[in-house]
Amino acid sequence: MTDVGTPRNETLIVQTFDGKASNPDAQNPLNQYAIWRGFRELGWSFLWEMDTATGESYPELAAGPVEVLNDEHTQFRIKIRPGVYWSDGVEFTVDDLIYTLDTSFKYKDKLTFVARTVNYIKEGSWKKVDDYTLDIETQSPAYDFQTVMGVYTWGSLFVPVPKHVFEPLGDDVVTFKNAPAVTLGPYKIKEFDPNGFWQLWELREDWERSGWGNSGEPKAKYVLYKDFGAEETRALAFVQNQYDVDTFMSPDSIAAAKSRNPAIETFSPTLPYHDMNDACSYGIYFNQLKAPYDEAAVRWALALSIDMQTVGISAVSGQFKASALPMADTPITSPVFYEPLDDFLNNLTLEDGYKPFNPNFGAELIEKLQAQGTPESEIPTGDAVKQSFGAGWWKYDPVEAESLLASVGITKGSDGFYTKPDGSPWMLDFVIPGDWNKVMQRTGFSIADSWRKAGFNVNARQVDNGEFATVQNTNARLDLMVNWSSSCTYNSNWFNSWASFSDAEAYNQPADSNTAIQGNYIRVTDPEIFKIVADSKTMEIGSEPFVENGREIAMKLTEGMQLINLMNIPTTIPTNNTYWTNFPKQSNFYAAPYTWWSSFKKTLLNIEPTGKE
Amino acid sequence: MIGVLQYVAKRVGLYLVVLFIGLTITFFLPRLMPTNPIDGYIGQIQARASGALTAEAIASLRENLEVLYGLKGDLFTQYVSYLERVVLRFDFGPSFSFYPQPVSQIIFGAVPYTLGLLLCSTTIAWILGNLVGLVAGYFHTKRAASVLEIVGILLYPIPYYILAVTVILMLSYVIPIFPLSPSFPVGEMTPQKFGMIIYNSLLPAITLILAGFGWNILSMKALAVSTTEEPYVTYARLKGTSNGTRMLRYVFRNAMLPQVTALALSLGTIFNGALLTEMLFSYPGVGLIMRTAASSGDYNVLYGAITISIIAVATAGLIIDLIYPLIDPRIRHK
C-alpha cells in the first residue's frame, strides 16, 4: 500500500516538477492554479492536444481540426465531440466554452489566467451554432489557432470550466477555489494534501466518456503526484521504489541511485543518457543595446572562448547535446532547421575569413570521455554520435577571439584581462541561476571559468528565479545571462519564440531603461529580422515560406552571434521499472517523457504494470 | 508600586517602538530586493505559454496585477496602506505568487506545524542539555562528568545539514524506522491522524534536539563551573548542604538565568529558524513558505512571515523583561 492508502501496484507515483505547492486548493483554471499537480495532464482537457513525439497537433475535445471560415484567417468554427462528460456526470457542451469566454472577458481585470485568451479572441465574437458547434473570431489573423487555443507544448492557457459549477457563483468566480475540481479528464481528484506535498488522482469509472477517454484506457487506477523533498531524500526514496518517475535529478544522484537499484533507468543506455527533446535550449543572452555587446566581433569572441566540451564534461558529466543554431536540436526540429542549415553552419565564415564551426564536436567529445574511462558500451557510434551530441558547435579558439576583440579596440591589460577600448577594466556581469536550476547554474559557472581562462574578467552572479526574470526583462540590469526563454522553438512554428522580434515599444526600451520589456529577451535590433517576422504573420504556420523565414532568422541570429546557443535542455528523468514499465525511452519514443507536459497522457496509456505487489 | 509601573511602561513602550521599526523595515526591505514579483509571475505564465503571450496580453496582465497586488501608487501611499491593514486588521493582503490566496491563510496553515515541532524540540533540547550540562559542570572534577561534556563537544560542531542528512540516512534508509518523505493525513483530526503527525515529526525533532542539545550542554556546563566556584556555593557547602541541594538550589538557579534568556530568544526565532529543517524533511511549516516567498519576490508573504517573527521575538523579549524580576531577586531590589 502507498502511504495515502492505495494499492502500490495500481498507483503510478510521480515526483512533482517543482516540489511542494503553496496553493494546493487553488484549482480554478481561470486563476493561477496549482499547476504542477496533475491538472494539465490528468484533470483538464483541451480542445486540441499535441503529439510530442511528432510535433503534430491533434483534436482532443474538438471533433477535428479547426475550420477556417474566411480568407483573412480571423473567423473559425470549432466542433466538439458529443458524449464528453464532466467528472460529476454533466455533459460538456459549447455552453461551457461560451461561459468560459464570457467570464474571462467579464472579469479580465481580476482573473489572472485569462490574459492570452482575452488578447487573442475578439470580444463578443463567439456564436453558438448548436450544442457542439461554436463560431468564433480572433482579433487579428491567426494561423496558430489550434496551438494557442489548444496545446503547443506543455499545456494550454485556455481551459474550459464547467458552467453548471461556476455560473451559480456569480461574481465569486473571481476568488473561487474550485477544490476539489470538477474536471474533464479521465482522472478526478480523490484527495490532496492541504500542505501541498501531494495530490492523488483516481481513474473515473466513466473514463471512456471523459475528455480523452476515446484515446484508450489509462493503465494506472491511481496517479499520485508527490514531492519527495530535497534531492538527497528523493534519491533514497527512489532507490527504495517509493516512486516511479523523477524530474530533473542531477546526473550524480542518478548514477548513485542506478548503482543501488537496477530497476532505475535513464532515458537512454548510452550517452548522453537523458532526454534532449525539450522545446527550449540553454543559451547566453547579451544586452545587444550596450557596448561592447553591441559588436558582433565581441559576441563571436565570447563564443569562441567557451571550451564547450570541457564545460559540458564539468557541468553535466558530458551528458548534453550541443546546439549551435538558436533552438534545440531535436528529432522534430532537425529536419526543419538543422539538416537544411547544415551547409550554412559548415560554410559560415566571419569577416576575417575564419570558419568558426566545428562539425567534429561530438567525436572530439567522445575522445575526451573515453580518456576519462567512460565504458565503450555507453558511447554512441556512427550516426548516433550526431543524434546524441548534436551536429557540431563552435571551435574553442581564444587566439581568434583575441584577434576579433583587437579589431574593435579591446586588448589585454597588464593583469592579463581584457580592457575596454578606452583602457578601463572590462568586468563582465554574468547572471546565472542559483540552485533552483542546478544544470544551468553549473553550466554558467563552467562557462565563466572558461572565459576567465581566456582573459575575460567575469563576475558570475547567481540569482533567485524572481530576480532572474527581472534581469531578463530589464535592460538596465542585463549584460550577460544564461537563459532559455527565446529559444523555445518546438516545431515548424517558430513564432512562439520569435514573434516578439519587432520594433514595437513593448519589446524595445533604451539600454539603461528600468521599464520591463515584454519579449525579445535577446534584444534583437536587426530591422531585417523585424521585417521577416512581420511578413510571416500572414503566412500559414508550417508552410514552406513560413519555415523558410524561420531558417532565415536562425541564420541571421547565428551570423551575428546574437545569442550563444549552448545545448538542448537535458531533462534528466529517471524511471523505476519495479511497479510499472514501458515508459517513453529513446528506443521507444512514443511521447516526450515529461510528467509535467499534458502529453503525459500518452505515457499513462502506454505504461504496463509489472504485477509486483 | 510606581517604580513597577514605570518599569512595565518603559518595557511596553520599547516593545511598541521595536514593532514599529520592525514593521517599517519589513515593508521596505523586500522592495530593495532586485526582484519584481510581477516580472516573476509574468515569467512563469510566459514559460507555461511557451512564450506565446503577446505584448498586449502581458501589458494588460501587468496592469491588472499591479492593482490586484496593491502595488499601484507611490511608495508612501503603499506604506500607509500597509501599516493600516497590518496594524488594524492583521491583513497582509493576497499572496503575489498564489493570488488570490490570502497571506494569512497560507501562514496560519503552516504555523501549527512549525510551532509544534520547534517548540517541543527546542524545549526538550534545552531541558536535556541543561540537565546534562549542570551535572557535567557541577561535577567537573570527576571523570564521568567529562564523558557527558564530550557528548556536547561532539555534537555541537557538526553542521546541522550534515547531522540531519546523517540521521535521515541512518533512520530512514539503513534502518528504515521513519519515512523519508512524510505524508501527513488529510481530513478531520482523529487520534490516529494526530499520532501520524507525531510520528512524521519525530525524525526532524530528533535532529533538532541533537543539534540544540550540544550547545546547551556546553553553555550550561561553563556557567555551572563558574557558579560552583562562587562564595555563596562554598558557604552553602560549609553549612553542610547536600550536593543535590547545592547543585539545584544554588548553582542551577543562578546559572539558568542566561539560559532562560537564550531559550526565550530561540523560541522567538523559531518561525524563521525552521528553514533548513523544513526543506530537508519536507515539513509543511513557515520556513518553507518563506523560502518560496523570498525567491519569487512574494512581498506580502514575506511581510506576513517576517512580521509574525518580529512580533514573536519582541514579545518573547518583553515577557522575559517582565518575568525576570520574578526569577532574579537582584532586579527586584534595584
Side-chain angles (χ1 to χ4, degrees), chain B residues 76-272:
Chain B
F76 182 72
T77 311
Q78 291 179 37
Y79 174 61
V80 171
S81 155
Y82 157 77
L83 280 185
E84 186 257 334
R85 278 188 292 112
V86 171
V87 173
L88 298 183
R89 300 197 299 274
F90 212 63
D91 170 16
F92 298 96
S95 158
F96 293 168
S97 302
F98 304 106
Y99 181 87
Q101 194 103 328
V103 167
S104 51
Q105 193 180 327
I106 293 176
I107 293 176
F108 288 129
V111 160
Y113 285 93
T114 299
L115 268 184
L117 175 65
L118 280 116
L119 266 181
C120 292
S121 54
T122 307
T123 310
I124 292 170
W126 186 85
I127 292 170
L128 282 178
N130 279 303
L131 286 177
V132 173
L134 178 67
V135 173
Y138 186 78
F139 298 106
H140 65 278
T141 53
K142 304 221 185 304
R143 184 167 294 175
S146 303
V147 175
L148 293 174
E149 187 185 2
I150 286 169
V151 175
I153 291 171
L154 283 176
L155 283 175
Y156 178 58
I158 302 176
Y160 177 73
Y161 182 83
I162 303 290
L163 184 69
V165 171
T166 307
V167 170
I168 290 172
L169 204 60
M170 292 305 298
L171 298 180
S172 291
Y173 185 73
V174 179
I175 312 166
I177 303 170
F178 296 106
L180 276 166
S181 52
S183 287
F184 290 96
V186 297
E188 289 203 359
M189 189 61 72
T190 62
Q192 191 197 357
K193 286 180 178 173
F194 185 71
M196 282 290 289
I197 292 176
I198 298 291
Y199 169 65
N200 279 312
S201 305
L202 279 176
L203 199 61
I206 287 169
T207 58
L208 285 168
I209 289 168
L210 288 175
F213 188 51
W215 184 87
N216 281 308
I217 291 176
L218 295 179
S219 58
M220 179 47 113
K221 191 242 170 187
L223 288 164
V225 167
S226 61
T227 311
T228 304
E229 286 159 8
E230 290 284 341
Y232 57 83
V233 181
T234 309
Y235 179 66
R237 183 168 57 81
L238 293 174
K239 274 203 313 181
T241 54
S242 68
N243 260 330
T245 306
R246 284 203 302 283
M247 186 169 76
L248 292 174
R249 295 187 56 189
Y250 288 77
V251 176
F252 183 59
R253 277 194 68 181
N254 288 288
M256 81 171 185
L257 289 174
Q259 297 294 85
V260 169
T261 308
L263 174 66
L265 292 178
S266 355
L267 291 177
T269 56
I270 60 176
F271 290 103
N272 47 7

Side-chain angles (χ1 to χ4, degrees), chain A residues 478-496:
Chain A
L478 173 67
D479 282 353
L480 286 166
M481 75 186 305
V482 179
N483 201 329
W484 71 89
S485 64
S486 284
S487 64
C488 304
T489 304
Y490 171 64
N491 51 22
S492 56
N493 179 11
W494 48 266
F495 257 144
N496 276 286

Side-chain angles (χ1 to χ4, degrees), chain A residues 3 22-23 32 35 108 112 116 119 153-154 157 177 191 195 197 226 228-229 232 240 465-467 470 496 518, chain B residues 34 36 41 44 47-52 54-55 57-58 64 98 101 113 161 172-173 180-181 183 186 282 295:
Chain A
D3 51 8
S22 295
N23 58 342
Q32 165 89 317
I35 201 152
K108 65 183 178 186
T112 54
R116 180 54 167 151
N119 284 281
T153 51
W154 55 353
L157 292 184
K177 294 285 185 60
E191 258 184 333
N195 299 308
F197 284 102
K226 182 176 173 182
F228 285 83
E232 293 83 352
Q240 288 180 339
N465 51 3
E467 185 178 355
T470 302
N496 276 286
Q518 322 285 2
Chain B
N36 180 333
Y41 183 88
Q44 285 178 39
R48 281 166 199 162
S50 297
T54 60
I58 295 176
N64 292 343
F98 304 106
Q101 194 103 328
Y113 285 93
Y161 182 83
S172 291
Y173 185 73
L180 276 166
S181 52
S183 287
V186 297
S282 298
S295 64

